[in-house]
């Protein structure tokens, strides 16, 4: 059964206690789907050092590519806020859409109709089996927050995104937001 705390469009913030996990430490994840079968999300703040045009033939413009998570890392996924340009997309929530016709998307990229303000690309996704996310929440691995950015979330800069989200939580999280990534190196 899906957790009542997490719904489509929620953000998961990695608890500061997640250390040494290259994929999920300091991650901010958009939940794209949640059901009795599990959940799917995309890490919003882990960019790769290469761009989309280096990976996909026919793309003539550079778009940052993000590590969406450790599942199906050889598959390309995207979220956007322009369903009027990309047919067959599915609304996540708050005007953010998942997927759609990729051939049309490529044409829109090459014609300049899409920018980094409208679309974000991922290799892989983050997935949880039924009850797995509930268990991780009970273990306090994640902080659930609403998406206060609505459809502008697509364009939020990845740099310091996790830290800024923690700062907004206040309290003990203010201290953690300024802690070094690896406290043992301090």
């Amino acid at each position: 059964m899906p957790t009542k705390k997490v719904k489509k469009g929620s953000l998961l913030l990695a608890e500061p206690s997640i250390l040494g996990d290259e994929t999920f430490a300091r991650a901010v994840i958009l939940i794209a789907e949640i059901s009795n079968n599990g959940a799917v999300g995309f890490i919003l703040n882990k960019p790769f050092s290469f761009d989309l045009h280096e990976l996909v033939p026919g793309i003539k413009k550079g778009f940052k590519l993000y590590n969406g998570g450790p599942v199906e890392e050889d598959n390309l996924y995207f979220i956007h806020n322009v369903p009027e340009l990309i047919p067959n997309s599915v609304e996540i929530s708050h005007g953010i859409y998942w997927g759609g016709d990729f051939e049309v998307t490529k044409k829109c990229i090459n014609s300049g109709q899409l920018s980094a303000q409208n679309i974000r690309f991922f290799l892989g996704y983050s997935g949880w089996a039924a009850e797995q996310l509930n268990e991780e929440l009970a273990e306090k691995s994640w902080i659930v927050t609403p998406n206060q950015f609505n459809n502008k979330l697509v364009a939020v800069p990845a740099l310091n995104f996790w830290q800024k989200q923690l700062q907004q939580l206040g309290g003990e999280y203010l201290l953690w937001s300024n802690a070094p990534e690896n406290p043992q190196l301090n």
Side-chain angles (χ1 to χ4, degrees):
M1 173 174 281
T3 177
K4 289 180 174 70
K5 268 180 106 173
V6 181
K7 56 188 174 199
K8 283 173 60 168
S10 295
L11 299 179
L12 294 183
L13 309 178
E15 277 284 353
S17 59
I18 296 179
L19 297 172
D21 183 325
E22 194 172 310
T23 302
F24 293 119
R26 296 183 175 221
V28 179
I29 299 175
L30 170 66
I31 295 297
E33 182 60 50
I34 190 159
S35 72
N36 292 337
N37 298 322
V40 171
F42 299 102
I43 302 172
L44 297 169
N45 62 327
K46 303 272 183 161
F48 287 115
S49 60
F50 52 91
D51 288 346
L52 181 67
H53 75 282
E54 297 173 73
L55 183 71
V56 179
I59 301 275
K60 296 179 176 79
K61 301 193 185 249
F63 277 81
K64 189 57 71 188
L65 199 54
Y66 292 81
N67 177 356
V71 183
E72 294 187 13
E73 294 175 299
D74 54 347
N75 286 339
L76 182 67
Y77 300 92
F78 58 98
I79 60 171
H80 60 89
N81 57 16
V82 286
E84 67 279 6
L85 293 178
I86 304 173
N88 304 320
S89 54
V90 176
E91 186 169 21
I92 296 171
S93 72
H94 305 292
I96 299 172
Y97 292 78
W98 177 10
D101 186 315
F102 190 64
E103 289 307 313
V104 171
T105 302
K106 283 172 42 175
K107 288 177 186 170
C108 289
I109 289 171
N110 290 334
S111 70
Q113 290 178 281
L114 290 174
S115 72
Q117 303 299 308
N118 308 116
I119 194 164
R120 187 172 291 201
F121 293 93
F122 306 92
L123 283 179
Y125 68 89
S126 300
W128 293 266
E131 289 305 309
Q132 183 182 3
L133 184 53
N134 285 333
E135 291 166 11
E136 291 181 14
L137 287 167
E139 294 167 356
K140 304 219 181 294
S141 296
W142 302 104
I143 305 161
V144 181
T145 65
N147 168 16
Q148 66 190 13
F149 304 96
N150 296 320
N151 69 349
K152 305 275 190 270
L153 180 68
V154 174
V156 172
L159 185 65
N160 299 322
F161 189 30
W162 180 82
Q163 290 88 341
K164 289 176 184 176
Q165 291 300 108
L166 283 189
Q167 288 168 356
Q168 289 185 357
L169 294 174
E172 67 183 72
Y173 292 110
L174 280 175
L175 177 66
W176 284 110
S177 70
N178 292 313
E181 195 160 338
N182 185 346
Q184 295 175 341
L185 298 177
N186 197 7

